[in-house]
Amino acid sequence: MSTSITFEREAVCPWSGARAASIATPHGTVRTPAFMPVATNASLRSMNFTDVIECGAEIILSNAYHLYLRPGHELIASAGGLHKFMSWKMPILTDSGGFQVFSLDEFRRITDDGVHFRDHRSGRAHFISPAISMEIQNAIGADIIMAFDECVKNPATYGEAEVAMKRTHRWLEICEATHSRKNDQALFGIIQGSMFEDLRRRSAEVVTSFDLPGYAIGGVAVGEARSEIERIVKFATPLMPEQKPRYLMGIGTPWDILYAIRCGIDMFDCVAPTMIARHGSVFTSKGRISIRKSSFRTDFGPIDETCDCFTCKFHSRAYLHHLTKAQEYAGATLAAIHNVRYLIREANNARQAILDGNFREYFERLAPILIQQNEDRALLQH
Ligand SMILES: [Zn+2]
């Protein structure tokens, strides 16, 4: 099929298969590995776009489900599309709404045709099918759009996972057939199959048999243990074509990202950096910390001495501690700037290591530190 994006691999790590690449889209080029900050409601929580650009973001993710409910995809189309509506000139990816709809649980009913659900705010009834999801995402107009898939929660039985996977495949066929803007929007297919390797293999075979511009792994980080996430990512990534972009949906922590890059993933997104920032939680090279802790009251050093973000350049832990205690909006903003920059910088550093031919050394130096931090994750309440 014709494609609106071009993907070029610049370097591949011979030890791991990790790739440095670029994705040229109608709104500019994304250098990968790339962390995509999440702008759920066409806005990054607590941040304005000059902050986001200064953090080095080259692409952001927005949620078709939320935009469909509010302000409505027709309104966005009448504004000239999402780029114009939100005044963001760089690439945008929208997810299909599948993940959000399936998270609703008791408010939704899935059939082979699509999903009936109720708006979690107003209670109004809605129906989204694969064709309607394409209509919504075509109206919104992101550079990369996602197929409408069924994501099962974890744990799922083999039978449940298989039914959802088969439905995802049938729906992909409809998405591909009804996607009306192939000249300027790239449709990515999503591999499902929960924690079952044979299902993941079957799903990868079917999904990649559609000649799409890119592919994604969905249905991970939905409640399973870290070792399970790693097992599936390691298993499924090599099943995706080397010459196409690979996107791991909804990942993750600094360790999750490093591990995904090692497996050969190019793109990832996570709502965590802005979400945890609202509660005063920030990434550091020594692990995640809560800036609200009293020990930071008189700490006049930066959040992280190795960080080059605006917050770390100009502000101290003591100031952030004060802002979060006083519930000033600036506290969440400065923490979000730091967290988003932190993950973008991690992806950039990995990219540089791949280009320099020393990714293995980079990975082996960083992995023990990040794994240790991940073990501590549960203990660090935000
Ligand atoms: Zn910083």
Side-chain angles (χ1 to χ4, degrees), residues 303-304 307-312 338 341:
I303 297 174
D304 189 304
C307 183
D308 61 359
C309 82
F310 174 88
T311 307
C312 291
H338 167 79
R341 175 63 191 154

Side-chain angles (χ1 to χ4, degrees), residues 146-179:
M146 301 304 297
F148 192 65
D149 62 330
E150 179 174 353
C151 175
V152 289
K153 59 177 184 247
N154 200 273
T157 66
Y158 187 89
E160 288 164 347
E162 189 177 30
V163 167
M165 179 197 77
K166 285 183 174 168
R167 209 175 256 146
T168 294
H169 298 164
R170 283 195 301 275
W171 287 357
L172 176 57
E173 206 174 326
I174 300 169
C175 288
E176 212 277 328
T178 54
H179 171 28

